[in-house]
Amino acid sequence: LIFGRVSPVKRVDWILEALQPLTEAGKLNIRIVGSALDEETALRVRAFVGIGVSWDELPVPGDKAHEIYASADLLVNATDGSMDKVIIEAAASGLAVFAATKGHLPSMQFSTKEELRQSVETYLTLDADQRKRISGQLRAWAESEHGIDGHLERLRQVFLGV
């Protein structure tokens, strides 16, 4: 799954190019959900739509996000530099998340197309228990690092000096 507004900063075409060997081999189906920010980006992404790649080019209401996450096995996000909220939402939903955002996720980060392709390919070979363990770790990370309780505790420590 690639989810959210399709814009240059999300590097959707970069992801599709990296994973093209897997889609062409029938090992991976990619669903893109979200509207394009500009026509140039849309054209680059549309060039990949076909075997193994589909694109729902409509804006997604927030109340449908959970259904979309539930329909996927993994999410790939190549937003570089900052933490995209989609990463946190997907991890909290129990999805395996592959992200280019360094230093934030407990695992499954990538810098190059080859790293992304190899990581996804390896993940696809894992059994259900291994995938469940990874999903649990990511869900726990999302809750502890980005849940309201964690934020309140960090605020308490900052303001009370404890």
Side-chain angles (χ1 to χ4, degrees):
L1 175 67
I2 300 171
F3 185 71
R5 181 173 290 143
V6 176
S7 65
V9 71
K10 297 219 179 184
R11 303 187 306 161
V12 173
D13 54 330
W14 187 93
I15 295 169
L16 295 171
E17 186 176 319
L19 298 178
Q20 191 170 22
L22 300 178
T23 59
E24 288 179 347
K27 295 179 179 181
L28 179 69
N29 290 310
I30 299 173
R31 180 181 178 201
I32 307 162
V33 179
S35 57
L37 188 62
D38 62 82
E39 190 57 30
E40 183 180 332
T41 301
L43 289 172
R44 285 197 315 271
V45 171
R46 280 188 203 116
F48 289 94
V49 172
I51 297 173
V53 179
S54 65
W55 186 10
D56 302 340
E57 290 190 61
L58 301 172
V60 180
D63 63 343
K64 298 291 183 194
H66 182 71
E67 292 174 26
I68 293 166
Y69 291 134
S71 71
D73 293 324
L74 61 93
L75 175 120
V76 179
N77 184 291
T79 303
D80 198 16
S82 65
M83 176 64 75
D84 188 341
K85 72 174 182 149
V86 168
I87 294 168
I88 300 164
E89 291 173 352
S93 295
L95 277 181
V97 177
F98 296 82
T101 306
K102 289 292 185 185
H104 295 286
L105 281 173
S107 64
M108 298 168 25
Q109 297 177 5
F110 58 87
S111 296
T112 67
K113 291 176 184 177
E114 184 62 21
E115 286 176 355
L116 172 59
R117 188 194 59 73
Q118 287 178 348
S119 295
V120 170
E121 192 165 31
T122 298
Y123 178 80
L124 294 173
T125 66
L126 300 178
D127 64 36
D129 288 337
Q130 292 169 311
R131 289 182 183 197
K132 188 175 181 178
R133 189 171 32 260
I134 289 169
S135 294
Q137 290 169 346
L138 288 168
R139 184 181 291 117
W141 164 81
E143 291 171 0
S144 69
E145 296 297 318
H146 298 283
I148 189 69
D149 291 339
H151 286 301
L152 289 175
E153 177 59 25
R154 283 188 285 285
L155 286 171
R156 187 182 74 75
Q157 290 172 2
V158 167
F159 288 110
L160 299 178
V162 288

